[in-house]
Amino acid sequence: MFRNNYDNDSVTFSPQGRIFQVEYALEAIKQGSAAVGLVSKTHAVLVALKRNAEELGSYQKKIIGIDTHLGVALAGLAPDARVLSNFMRQQSMSSRLLYNRPVPIARVVNAIADKAQVNTQHYGRRPYGVGLLVAGVDETGPHLWEFQPSGMVLEYRGAAIGARSQSARTYLERNFEAFPDASREELVLHGLRALRDSLAQDKELTTANVSLAIVGEGEKFKLYDGEEVADWLEKLGSTQSSRGSRGAQAAAAPAGASGSGEGGDSMEVDA
Amino acid sequence: MNHLPEAWGRPRDDVYGAYDHSHLRPSMPNQHTQEPIVTGTSVVALKYNGGVVIAADNLASYGSLARFSNMERLKQVGTHTVVGASGDISDMQYLFDTALEDLVIKEEYQNDGHHLRAKHVYSYLSRVMYHRRNKFDPLWNVLLVAGWDDGKPFLASTDLLGTTFSAPALASGFGASLAVPLLRRVCPDEESVAKISRERAIEAVEECMKVLFYRDARSTNKYTMAIVSGEDNKVDIEWKKDVELQKQSWKFAEEIRGYGAQIV
């Protein structure tokens, strides 16, 4: 049941200097389906893979609009993401009311980072079990931030979180140099290709399981769901992972390197 | 046990005597600003093609007494904005030295490349003013906010009620009656801002300060002027401090009739 004596709460360090509850929270992100984000000089894009608990059930929402210039994609515990996104909406609203200014992306990201960090330092609390990709545009241009339950936030040119996201990350790492000058359409397609690479072998991108959001300079945050993504999937062409049989190799590499994380098929949680 | 909840948890009256409720009350009534005490008079401001000119004299009056003659009533906020205040000087000092100073420190401390511009400072001030009026403890001022925003000159006002108003030519206090008509001759509407040069705007505001000194008994002949000029996103603020009124002419005074020891 317990790995050791040092994971009963989020305030106790292990002798190796680790806080296990925080690490478990980071694992919760990997249980969630994949989400990908990327930015160009003019746009920020989020794409995410939705899951339904069962065939007859609806799909879990993966992208939440915060304001007209800002939105998040989540991987992990959706209820925790609701708490954080509601808080971000409040921050956004009070920035508009008090300063007549859309909240700067870095500020609202740092605000949720502070909230998350507090949970790692108080007995009786637990870390948030969700990772977020925050995409938005402010006066300093388009931005993409990754939020982790540890309270860490980092800005990225392209990032992927959630189950099998290493494959998406590999795609981003191979193509990121093209992102800054990519057009709106190219950027979305890069995102969809990265997401496609994270699919399991027997899965494909469909209008039911893809969520997509675009925000740009002079373009309001817009979430595309269901039939609205049909055109994008058509432009994408193949909706199955292009990695095919290479999937096994790729999965083996990080597993051998880190000894943890989403190595191999044993960690598959696409159900 | 006493059936009145008010008596619960208190020493028993029949043993210790009645409870002295005056200990619970503050010794003084709440003090809200009922009227301004030390006051500054008009602030005058005018937009021109490329910026805004704003000016206010250096006098703080105690009633009709010219009490302090070195009170600057303009403040630079951040890099894009100048705020001018008329009305109560202590409320002005709270706004300038505490509220706005804290605002700028908090903003710059983030160090993330974002800065408050004129419209943000203006929005904040109007919210503070409205908040205080809702507490029935208003900050007894009229504030003019001048600045450079989004590649355009910015000028707007807010008052002790939190009312917001914006125009290409604005003045507070006595100047609202006396200076605004003069400024509107130069700048009747937003479109005409484009036709006004920096020199013309400075000249118009100087003229207003002079006329105000002639006719406003709470004014003085020494004033401060700030010229906020911008090009695209670059802003420059030029300060003219302790400026004395030039070329005064009191000839018109001979014509004044209706009061004083004159034989009409």
Side-chain angles (χ1 to χ4, degrees):
Chain A
M1 176 86 184
F2 297 113
R3 209 179 264 188
N4 53 54
N5 289 325
Y6 298 103
D7 67 354
N8 292 316
D9 56 65
S10 65
V11 300
T12 310
F13 276 101
S14 81
Q16 286 75 40
R18 299 161 62 177
I19 297 173
F20 283 106
Q21 283 298 331
V22 170
E23 293 187 19
Y24 298 160
L26 296 172
E27 288 301 317
I29 300 170
K30 296 173 190 163
Q31 307 277 338
S33 59
V36 175
L38 56 172
V39 274
S40 70
K41 282 177 185 164
T42 54
H43 288 83
V45 167
L46 294 171
V47 289
L49 193 63
K50 290 187 289 188
R51 278 201 300 230
N52 52 350
E54 49 186 299
E55 196 63 33
L56 298 177
S58 64
Y59 284 78
Q60 178 61 48
K61 196 172 183 176
K62 289 287 285 179
I63 300 180
I64 304 170
I66 303 295
D67 200 338
T68 55
H69 68 299
L70 168 68
V72 299
L74 61 105
L77 302 183
D80 284 11
R82 263 175 60 78
V83 171
L84 289 167
S85 61
N86 284 341
F87 175 76
M88 291 168 85
R89 283 177 176 174
Q90 282 182 21
Q91 295 282 304
S92 203
M93 217 162 65
S94 71
S95 176
R96 282 185 189 275
L97 185 72
L98 190 55
Y99 300 110
N100 187 21
R101 164 171 79 174
V103 70
I105 311 302
R107 302 253 173 110
V108 72
V109 167
N110 278 317
I112 56 169
D114 289 352
K115 260 173 91 70
Q117 195 280 334
V118 165
N119 289 343
T120 68
Q121 219 179 358
H122 284 273
Y123 188 82
R125 295 201 178 192
R126 66 164 178 84
Y128 291 108
V130 70
L132 301 178
L133 293 177
V134 183
V137 173
D138 60 26
E139 287 182 353
T140 57
H143 297 282
L144 173 70
W145 288 81
E146 185 193 347
F147 160 86
Q148 293 192 333
S150 54
M152 197 172 78
V153 286
L154 285 172
E155 186 163 13
Y156 285 90
R157 290 196 264 182
I161 57 172
R164 305 169 61 88
S165 60
Q166 182 54 48
S167 312
R169 212 146 39 235
T170 303
Y171 176 90
L172 296 175
E173 280 162 13
R174 285 184 184 152
N175 295 281
F176 76 95
E177 276 163 335
F179 295 169
D181 294 310
S183 69
R184 179 179 180 274
E185 181 175 320
E186 283 164 358
L187 198 66
V188 172
L189 291 177
H190 275 305
L192 286 171
R193 283 196 286 269
L195 189 69
R196 186 178 66 186
D197 279 4
S198 76
L199 287 170
Q201 256 183 18
D202 55 340
K203 295 276 168 54
E204 62 176 336
L205 299 182
T206 65
T207 53
N209 70 10
V210 171
S211 243
L212 193 162
I214 307 172
V215 61
E217 279 172 359
E219 180 180 349
K220 286 182 177 175
F221 184 89
K222 172 88 171 80
L223 175 60
Y224 297 87
D225 251 331
E227 283 309 310
E228 292 166 312
V229 298
D231 288 350
W232 286 112
L233 292 181
E234 202 170 306
K235 283 183 189 131
L236 179 67
S238 166
T239 52
Q240 286 194 306
S241 175
S242 59
R243 301 172 62 79
S245 58
R246 288 187 295 123
Q249 297 166 13
S258 65
S260 65
E262 45 165 345
D265 292 323
S266 62
M267 285 293 288
E268 302 231 339
V269 284
D270 274 357
Chain B
M1 188 177 169
N2 193 319
H3 68 283
L4 294 169
E6 294 86 335
W8 298 351
R10 292 265 160 78
R12 282 170 56 187
D13 287 1
D14 54 330
V15 177
Y16 297 97
Y19 189 79
D20 182 358
H21 288 276
S22 69
H23 291 298
L24 284 174
R25 252 179 269 125
S27 56
M28 293 281 283
N30 274 338
Q31 293 267 303
H32 289 174
T33 308
Q34 306 290 323
E35 56 181 330
I37 307 297
V38 179
T39 60
T41 185
S42 323
V43 183
V44 177
L46 175 65
K47 282 192 199 175
Y48 68 89
N49 189 2
V52 191
V53 180
I54 183 168
D57 74 21
N58 291 2
L59 182 68
S61 309
Y62 178 64
S64 59
L65 173 70
R67 181 65 183 81
F68 304 103
S69 54
N70 275 309
M71 187 62 69
E72 268 185 27
R73 295 187 288 118
L74 300 183
K75 182 188 170 66
Q76 181 167 342
V77 182
T79 52
H80 288 59
T81 314
V82 172
V83 180
S86 57
D88 192 84
I89 293 294
S90 56
D91 286 350
M92 178 197 84
Q93 286 175 330
Y94 162 72
L95 281 167
F96 283 8
D97 302 342
T98 306
L100 289 175
E101 204 64 25
D102 286 358
L103 179 75
V104 173
I105 288 171
K106 266 167 99 178
E107 178 77 9
E108 297 304 315
Y109 192 72
Q110 299 271 341
N111 200 226
D112 56 7
H114 291 274
H115 307 281
L116 290 169
R117 295 200 308 274
K119 72 167 178 181
H120 309 129
V121 173
Y122 173 60
S123 172
Y124 175 79
L125 283 171
S126 70
R127 292 298 163 184
V128 169
M129 299 302 267
Y130 185 57
H131 172 65
R132 288 292 294 262
R133 93 108 224 193
N134 284 342
K135 295 209 293 186
F136 278 74
D137 187 14
L139 295 167
W140 217 284
N141 301 104
V142 177
L143 305 171
L144 300 194
V145 181
W148 185 253
D149 191 57
D150 263 343
K152 288 197 294 282
F154 178 94
L155 179 59
S157 73
T158 182
D159 65 10
L160 75 169
L161 302 175
T163 315
T164 57
F165 182 69
S166 168
L170 282 176
S172 65
F174 204 92
S177 310
L178 211 60
V180 167
L182 298 175
L183 293 173
R184 283 189 184 165
R185 279 192 210 157
V186 180
C187 185
D189 49 28
E190 197 69 51
E191 286 73 54
S192 45
V193 172
K195 290 179 230 147
I196 303 169
S197 70
R198 178 189 173 105
E199 292 69 30
R200 182 75 191 88
I202 294 173
E203 186 191 352
V205 170
E206 278 172 350
E207 183 66 17
C208 285
M209 295 311 287
K210 194 152 70 183
V211 172
L212 281 167
F213 179 54
Y214 288 155
R215 320 225 69 137
D216 178 2
R218 304 286 168 271
S219 68
T220 190
N221 61 340
K222 204 170 67 182
Y223 65 93
T224 306
M225 178 185 272
I227 303 134
V228 187
S229 56
E231 209 176 328
D232 298 327
N233 287 318
K234 276 207 216 126
V235 187
D236 179 62
I237 300 181
E238 186 193 335
W239 283 89
K240 294 172 189 267
K241 300 202 174 190
D242 297 327
V243 188
E244 298 236 10
L245 287 176
Q246 301 298 313
K247 288 186 256 171
Q248 292 178 44
S249 165
W250 289 84
K251 264 191 108 61
F252 72 92
E254 293 167 11
E255 310 297 320
I256 295 174
R257 290 288 179 273
Y259 58 90
Q262 306 142 349
I263 301 149
V264 181

